[in-house]
Amino acid sequence: MSVRQCTICEAKDLGEAPRVNLRLCRDCQDWDDLLHINYCRERAGHHAPLNPVPFCYKHNPDWPPNRKGNYSELKDLTFFSSEHYAARRDCIMCSAVGDALQRASSENGDGQETKIAVWRPFILDPAKNQWNVHDEKTAMEKGMLPWLQKCVLAICIATTPIGEESWSYQPGVVELVLRYEKWCYDLSQVSPWERRVMDTSQITKWLHRCVREHGEECSASWIPSSVDMPRGFRLIDTHERRVVRPQSQVEYVALSYVWNAASSSPEKQSSQLNLGNLKELEEPNSLNDSILPEVVADAINLCIEIGQRYIWVDRFCIVQDDLELKGEHIDAMGAIYDRAFLTFVALGDGPTPGLVGLPYRPRPQSFQNRSWDLLPTMSNPVGEARLPLIDMAISESKWNSRAWTFQERALSKRKIYFDAGQVYGNCTKERWNEKPKDEDDTEWEKTKSWEMREPRDRPWDFSLNSFATYSGVISQFSPRKLTFPSDVLRAFAGVVNILEKELKRPMLQGHPEEYFTESLRWVPEPGFMGVRRDLDNVPSWSWASWDSRAIWDIDWTIAPGIFLACRVSQVKASFVNFYVSDPKEGFRPVKERHQSLENYLTEQKRAALKVLKEAAISWWPSSISDDPMAVEVKELDELTKQVWDWAHQKARGGTHPWPPSTARTPRTERLHDLSEDATAFAALRNLEEHTDTQWWPPTTAKDLGASQRLENLSKEAITLAENFPNSLVFNTSCAYLRVGPFGRIWFRIPPRRHLSGCAIQNSDGIPVGITMAMAPQLTFDMFQKGKQCLVALIGVCSCKRFMQWNKGERSKLPIHHLNELCLLVMIMEEKDGICNRLAVGVVYSDEWIKLQPQWRTVVLA
């Protein structure tokens, strides 16, 4: 990238003495040229090679991808005392650093000796002026002289008790404004950069712009209009400073914050609306700042400042000790935020509660970086001061880790976020950052801090297939934290309303009924310790019963004796008829759209026949020219019979072992470079396992009566389920098997994480299947030393195994694949006829048949 010539390096290249700035001491002359202090010194390796991450605030944790490993330590910097800087007061840079050291000494107290070291500057240049303006003439034409450069100076404060040498080191920043008389050289003044208070007119201008230019896109509601506001809906009247019940529909602001971080005062933190003070707080001027938590007081004052009369705040608009009414309001939270004109968000990450940065809540002066990402980028490998983008600022915040704020973020039309050192905003069309003083409005809107693109607030993507939409939303919500775990599904209710409205499908305990079997395949995120929640209102089969991220992973583990290529598909066929003990609708069937087992088996038989025809030619009857992938379904059985007849005839010749044996092509072996016979055996075995469906008795029922008997639920089970709201009742094939850790931890790359799992074993200790991947400790906590569990069949998955030939003539063959049929099972513990979900897993169909499983009705609570 082209940049102007550094005046200091230019003089050295010409063999001349660099110009001397009399305002700077000899050691600070490099500061006379901005390009030299920021760019040339970095390239020459004059800045200590420190790790920049400890100096950063809310940086991208995955960047840079190739960090150095040989960083210097903070103690290796050159530290100076206040006496050093006192002797250099004539130097404008030493004077600024000395002032910072004096402030640090004052903060640390009289009993501490304090020193300071300067590491390097990071320049705030969002418009890329250093790169785009190459000469002084251009700068003059643009009115850019004298040039005021905002700078974040990375420093380190060292302290030790007086008389001791036990130094501690704290990285920090000092924010400065550098005045250059020429274009980025001839430094004439160094002054503190005052950014404690923002100009709130920026908020008003941005809101007016949104309303004027975005129209319906930023005004439409997501929650259906059929969802009413709760009984006793209240707002705070900011003009009269009291709680009111609006008699008509009014425009209002909502406040979103972390409840426990509302105030630093215990008295204010406990302040809320209850039956005892309801009348009092409905009186004019009853809500004065002296009793309000800081975040509420600031929100009320900001409403007045931007011309909004009403605001909704949960702690003062919900009667906290009226439990019935409170429950209605909690269930309507989604609608409340959805219908608000604007939402104020307190991210809650700084030491000061409230909406920090407002005139009545200035940002505290501190050396701790609470504003800047200082890591190098592809466009600027030397590093620069950048405001964290809004997505990063939000995602790394305390507020964003809470479950309740998930729907508040997703449903609010417009939001103003207050971070410890910066204010952000967004609507459905654009993102907005607080503009530093003296920055031109037009130029600022061209920077990345103001982006005309949709924010990532909405967790759904309705362009995806429906289940991918559900699973994506749940995976984002499920790891969030709750003060009261029993609120987990209530905190998700607003999003459920959106999903049901947009996809026109009901949900049950956070699961889409249409894809119910697939939804039961959830697992706690592998590699991390999840914790089961013991909740009366959440059944064990729901992802909400775990304090962990729920995912629908296709990466599984490998147990000794079991090979499933590490990847197991989504549900390929669903056939179990689930019923639910619904507290509202009574005992009813789950409204699932089943995936056809017959269609899946047909598809896989075609694939196996294709392998025989193209990769095991001598095992394909020469009289058959039909393409197995194109033959009509009604003719497929006849084609399959002819292939089997030919295989039997070929086997009777005595040169080929028969029947095809798993011992000949063990499942632990890769299907690469197989001989023609071995390829045929693998394909025939695959064909057979997709033909023999004894593992699911309804497919082999001899008559209609037998089929109906298999469908009839146990009356005792139905009666038992009535005592367990939201329990599932279903008929299926079950077996008691031992499940236990297989003692091996697989180290997977990528991502680098420890994974483990459990083997599902028969009574002889032979593995017949595996569980989902889990954190190693979780396998031992749940299945210590092998636990006898009830294992129930709930669906069919598959495992794709590739066949490839790299040697000899067979290397000309195209790559084929066979799908191993895997039965999806739920692993449960049973007590007094009631089952609880422990895990899910897969077993081989032929092994399941050997187990002689029992047909029974399961009650899953």
Side-chain angles (χ1 to χ4, degrees):
M1 188 177 289
S2 176
V3 296
R4 69 173 182 84
Q5 178 69 48
C6 161
T7 59
I8 296 176
C9 292
E10 182 180 27
K12 290 180 179 178
D13 291 344
L14 295 173
E16 301 173 358
R19 63 184 298 276
V20 176
N21 187 331
L22 298 179
R23 306 180 191 92
L24 296 168
C25 67
R26 183 181 61 184
D27 295 335
C28 293
Q29 287 297 316
D30 284 349
W31 283 93
D32 190 50
D33 189 296
L34 182 62
L35 183 62
H36 186 78
I37 193 69
N38 183 47
Y39 187 71
C40 299
R41 282 180 58 87
E42 173 70 18
R43 293 192 65 185
H46 291 165
H47 294 309
L50 295 179
N51 184 353
V53 172
F55 293 87
C56 291
Y57 180 70
K58 290 188 176 177
H59 59 88
N60 182 348
D62 299 321
W63 185 263
N66 297 312
R67 291 181 184 153
K68 300 175 183 177
N70 55 337
Y71 289 123
S72 297
E73 296 185 32
L74 292 174
K75 66 180 181 180
D76 296 331
L77 291 170
T78 303
F79 290 85
F80 294 103
S81 65
S82 55
E83 290 77 14
H84 171 86
Y85 290 105
R88 300 185 176 211
R89 297 298 294 181
D90 291 339
C91 171
I92 55 177
M93 181 53 66
C94 285
S95 179
V97 176
D99 289 344
L101 176 56
Q102 185 175 357
R103 178 159 60 91
S105 299
S106 176
E107 291 175 1
N108 291 328
D110 296 336
Q112 295 284 323
E113 182 181 354
T114 305
K115 293 184 179 182
I116 192 170
V118 174
W119 178 32
R120 53 157 298 182
F122 292 88
I123 303 305
L124 176 68
D125 188 16
K128 305 298 181 186
N129 288 310
Q130 279 194 76
W131 308 103
N132 298 331
V133 180
H134 300 153
D135 54 67
E136 192 160 334
K137 180 182 177 182
T138 305
M140 289 183 67
E141 291 172 352
K142 291 189 171 187
M144 300 171 73
L145 296 181
W147 178 244
L148 300 178
Q149 178 62 62
K150 298 175 178 66
C151 165
V152 178
L153 185 63
I155 62 161
C156 183
I157 304 293
T159 58
T160 185
I162 292 177
E164 299 182 18
E165 288 296 323
S166 55
W167 293 93
S168 60
Y169 302 91
Q170 182 63 46
V173 296
V174 176
E175 297 167 337
L176 300 172
V177 178
L178 311 177
R179 177 186 170 112
Y180 287 93
E181 296 301 320
K182 307 296 185 181
W183 177 232
C184 293
Y185 72 95
D186 192 10
L187 183 64
S188 62
Q189 186 180 11
V190 180
S191 57
W193 178 8
E194 177 52 57
R195 14 183 345 267
R196 299 185 68 199
V197 174
M198 77 165 297
D199 177 6
T200 53
S201 68
Q202 293 184 53
I203 297 176
T204 307
K205 289 178 183 177
W206 177 68
L207 289 172
H208 287 167
R209 169 192 168 106
C210 176
V211 172
R212 182 178 66 251
E213 298 182 10
H214 301 165
E216 185 65 20
E217 288 184 87
C218 291
S219 301
S221 292
W222 282 94
I223 297 288
S225 57
S226 58
V227 177
D228 295 327
M229 296 299 256
R231 285 186 305 122
F233 178 66
R234 291 175 169 83
L235 294 169
I236 294 175
D237 186 328
T238 64
H239 290 184
E240 298 184 3
R241 291 276 183 159
R242 65 186 182 117
V243 176
V244 298
R245 292 183 62 176
Q247 300 305 305
S248 60
Q249 187 173 343
V250 297
E251 187 174 275
Y252 65 92
V253 175
L255 176 64
S256 181
Y257 63 103
V258 179
W259 181 287
N260 293 331
S263 175
S264 57
S265 161
E267 292 78 15
K268 291 182 178 181
Q269 179 65 39
S270 63
S271 181
Q272 58 188 30
L273 182 67
N274 53 53
L275 293 171
N277 64 11
L278 178 58
K279 292 295 183 183
E280 176 188 348
L281 296 185
E282 288 177 340
E283 294 296 320
N285 299 316
S286 56
L287 293 176
N288 58 72
D289 289 356
S290 63
I291 69 164
L292 296 176
E294 291 88 330
V295 70
V296 179
D298 293 349
I300 290 174
N301 291 324
L302 182 56
C303 278
I304 296 171
E305 202 163 335
I306 65 174
Q308 290 290 326
R309 178 162 186 171
Y310 297 101
I311 184 170
W312 184 88
V313 182
D314 53 1
R315 69 196 310 138
F316 290 106
C317 296
I318 300 175
V319 182
Q320 299 296 321
D321 55 356
D322 186 336
L323 299 185
E324 181 180 350
L325 194 60
K326 181 178 180 180
E328 293 182 28
H329 280 250
I330 287 175
D331 291 340
M333 277 291 204
I336 292 171
Y337 281 94
D338 178 62
R339 291 169 190 171
F341 170 77
L342 169 69
T343 299
F344 297 148
V345 178
L347 294 180
D349 293 327
T352 305
L355 304 183
V356 184
L358 296 176
Y360 25 86
R361 191 75 56 196
R363 297 167 185 135
Q365 199 171 31
S366 171
F367 294 109
Q368 187 171 350
N369 182 1
R370 295 195 181 277
S371 299
W372 308 107
D373 179 359
L374 306 176
L375 293 181
T377 63
M378 293 294 288
S379 61
N380 189 352
V382 302
E384 59 186 335
R386 297 183 312 281
L387 293 167
L389 295 179
I390 185 170
D391 287 334
M392 185 64 65
I394 297 168
S395 65
E396 296 296 311
S397 68
K398 182 189 301 182
W399 173 84
N400 199 57
S401 69
R402 308 301 297 174
W404 282 106
T405 62
F406 183 79
Q407 65 178 4
E408 295 166 16
R409 179 181 179 184
L411 297 175
S412 297
K413 299 179 178 70
R414 307 173 185 89
K415 295 169 283 290
I416 302 293
Y417 297 95
F418 290 84
D419 203 355
Q422 181 69 16
V423 177
Y424 304 86
N426 72 11
C427 58
T428 60
K429 290 287 288 182
E430 67 185 11
R431 311 166 187 215
W432 166 83
N433 279 15
E434 171 194 349
K435 177 179 72 68
K437 292 179 182 177
D438 305 321
E439 292 285 344
D440 180 75
D441 286 352
T442 304
E443 291 298 317
W444 182 250
E445 291 180 18
K446 296 177 183 177
T447 70
K448 285 188 176 181
S449 299
W450 190 308
E451 298 181 281
M452 281 297 295
R453 63 189 179 97
E454 187 175 349
R456 299 173 187 169
D457 282 349
R458 302 244 153 85
W460 47 77
D461 182 355
F462 294 124
S463 66
L464 301 174
N465 72 71
S466 297
F467 184 74
T469 301
Y470 286 115
S471 59
V473 173
I474 293 167
S475 291
Q476 293 179 64
F477 171 81
S478 50
R480 290 173 172 245
K481 303 304 177 185
L482 285 155
T483 303
F484 302 104
S486 58
D487 286 342
V488 57
L489 290 175
R490 277 183 158 179
F492 194 58
V495 176
V496 167
N497 286 333
I498 300 295
L499 296 174
E500 291 184 333
K501 171 194 170 188
E502 295 297 319
L503 301 175
K504 298 178 175 58
R505 297 173 177 91
M507 292 189 72
L508 175 64
Q509 294 292 295
H511 290 247
E513 291 197 39
E514 184 171 12
Y515 306 96
F516 197 67
T517 300
E518 174 67 20
S519 77
L520 293 177
R521 200 177 58 81
W522 65 270
V523 298
E525 185 172 21
F528 301 92
M529 273 299 293
V531 179
R532 293 177 68 184
R533 295 176 174 133
D534 187 12
L535 303 174
D536 292 336
N537 63 330
V538 179
S540 66
W541 53 263
S542 172
W543 54 264
S545 65
W546 275 75
D547 183 6
S548 172
R549 184 188 301 276
I551 62 171
W552 281 260
D553 205 353
I554 60 174
D555 289 332
W556 295 58
T557 51
I558 306 171
I562 291 290
F563 178 69
L564 290 172
C566 289
R567 299 178 75 83
V568 175
S569 74
Q570 298 173 331
V571 171
K572 294 295 186 181
S574 54
F575 35 74
V576 173
N577 294 317
F578 292 100
Y579 295 79
V580 60
S581 178
D582 194 320
K584 295 180 179 179
E585 301 179 31
F587 190 77
R588 65 171 180 85
V590 174
K591 304 178 182 71
E592 181 172 13
R593 178 169 58 86
H594 286 301
Q595 295 171 262
S596 169
L597 174 61
E598 183 178 354
N599 290 348
Y600 168 72
L601 295 175
T602 298
E603 178 186 337
Q604 301 315 311
K605 282 188 278 189
R606 289 183 190 276
L609 290 169
K610 181 181 180 182
V611 171
L612 281 169
K613 186 174 189 295
E614 297 182 4
I617 299 172
S618 67
W619 288 82
W620 183 263
S622 57
S623 60
I624 302 175
S625 60
D626 296 335
D627 179 1
M629 303 304 291
V631 71
E632 294 287 337
V633 174
K634 60 185 178 182
E635 299 172 359
L636 188 63
D637 287 343
E638 178 59 29
L639 175 61
T640 302
K641 181 178 181 300
Q642 293 179 53
V643 169
W644 277 113
D645 288 345
W646 175 255
H648 283 282
Q649 180 182 336
K650 192 174 180 65
R652 280 195 294 270
T655 58
H656 306 280
W658 190 263
S661 167
T662 55
R664 282 291 182 185
T665 50
R667 286 186 169 109
T668 51
E669 184 178 297
R670 298 171 68 202
L671 299 182
H672 283 199
D673 290 316
L674 297 183
S675 67
E676 186 169 311
D677 285 352
T679 301
F681 293 164
L684 288 167
R685 189 198 68 208
N686 191 266
L687 182 63
E688 187 174 33
E689 74 179 15
H690 287 97
T691 303
D692 184 0
T693 57
Q694 295 180 61
W695 45 265
W696 187 241
T699 63
T700 58
K702 295 181 180 179
D703 54 48
L704 180 62
S707 179
Q708 289 178 340
R709 284 193 295 275
L710 291 172
E711 287 296 321
N712 291 336
L713 297 171
S714 158
K715 293 182 179 179
E716 293 79 4
I718 296 174
T719 302
L720 191 60
E722 292 174 354
N723 299 318
F724 296 89
N726 295 308
S727 58
L728 296 178
V729 182
F730 56 98
N731 282 347
T732 191
S733 175
C734 299
Y736 280 96
L737 298 173
R738 188 168 297 280
V739 182
F742 48 72
R744 292 173 67 184
I745 298 173
W746 289 79
F747 193 61
R748 300 255 301 281
I749 303 174
R752 291 180 173 85
R753 61 186 182 182
H754 285 294
L755 292 180
S756 189
C758 292
I760 304 172
Q761 300 171 328
N762 63 20
S763 57
D764 297 325
I766 299 173
V768 298
I770 56 173
T771 67
M772 60 195 179
M774 306 182 204
Q777 187 59 47
L778 192 58
T779 66
F780 289 95
D781 290 347
M782 293 182 65
F783 302 103
Q784 293 181 12
K785 299 179 182 178
K787 183 175 183 178
Q788 191 82 1
C789 299
L790 180 65
V791 179
L793 173 58
I794 61 172
V796 165
C797 296
S798 68
C799 169
K800 183 175 288 189
R801 300 185 66 192
F802 287 94
M803 307 182 81
Q804 184 172 341
W805 297 269
N806 301 317
K807 300 174 183 178
E809 284 295 314
R810 292 179 67 76
S811 64
K812 298 176 183 179
L813 292 171
I815 296 175
H816 288 273
H817 71 265
L818 293 172
N819 284 316
E820 197 88 59
L821 189 148
C822 308
L823 303 182
L824 178 66
V825 295
M826 184 173 290
I827 300 161
M828 304 170 290
E829 57 184 357
E830 184 178 21
K831 184 178 180 180
D832 299 328
I834 298 295
C835 298
N836 284 291
R837 179 194 194 269
L838 295 178
V840 291
V842 286
V843 298
Y844 286 125
S845 58
D846 54 346
E847 298 293 347
W848 186 256
I849 294 171
K850 294 175 188 176
L851 294 170
Q852 298 183 336
Q854 301 299 307
W855 187 261
R856 58 166 287 184
T857 302
V858 174
V859 180
L860 180 60

